[in-house]
Amino acid sequence: MLDRQPVPLPPPLDALIEQLATKHEEKIAAGPGPTWLFQGSYPRRPMPVSTIQRRLNVHGIKAKPSRVTACLNLAQDLPPAVLACITGMHVITAEQWHRRAAPDWTAYLAARRSSSRTT
């Protein structure tokens, strides 16, 4: 479940996420302080994305293409400062994603200019 909406997951990811969520609920019940669903090695820190990707790859789940697509879609729709705030990435990284996602209109404008001259 994501909030209150069920999210279908393929095996073996469904069982792994279920185990992780159960452990997470036990940690929350154990005491105060921030907890992460994907807990890192250091206290109060999330697991690095690279570690999550490596672990998913072991189970045959390739997460990087989906992450790249999601970042590109967000970068097209959001200013870099907002993208950085909601994803937790550095502002410079968000600006790089924004530049990568921005359409290059120079070829279109050049073609448009040349077609308007011929007509």
Side-chain angles (χ1 to χ4, degrees), residues 36-103:
W36 294 92
L37 181 58
F38 297 101
Q39 185 67 44
S41 300
Y42 299 103
R44 300 189 192 120
R45 300 290 299 167
M47 184 181 295
V49 172
S50 58
T51 303
I52 295 171
Q53 286 178 344
R54 232 183 356 263
R55 290 182 180 182
L56 289 172
N57 288 340
V58 167
H59 296 282
I61 301 165
K62 305 294 181 199
K64 189 167 185 169
S66 298
R67 182 177 185 276
V68 168
T69 302
C71 284
L72 285 172
N73 285 334
L74 285 172
Q76 284 178 335
D77 297 335
L78 301 172
V82 174
L83 179 63
C85 183
I86 65 169
T87 61
M89 65 175 68
H90 195 276
V91 175
I92 293 173
T93 305
E95 287 176 1
Q96 291 169 346
W97 276 109
H98 188 71
R99 268 188 255 117
R100 220 178 276 160

Side-chain angles (χ1 to χ4, degrees), residues 3 5 16-17 19-20 28 30 51 59-60 62-63 65 72 74 80-81 91 97 101 103 105 108-109 115:
D3 192 20
Q5 299 298 319
L16 294 170
I17 294 294
Q19 288 174 0
L20 193 58
I28 290 174
T51 303
H59 296 282
K62 305 294 181 199
L72 285 172
L74 285 172
V91 175
W97 276 109
W105 292 98
Y108 170 77
L109 292 174
S115 70

Side-chain angles (χ1 to χ4, degrees), residues 6-18:
V7 178
L9 296 172
L13 183 60
D14 58 348
L16 294 170
I17 294 294
E18 184 67 35

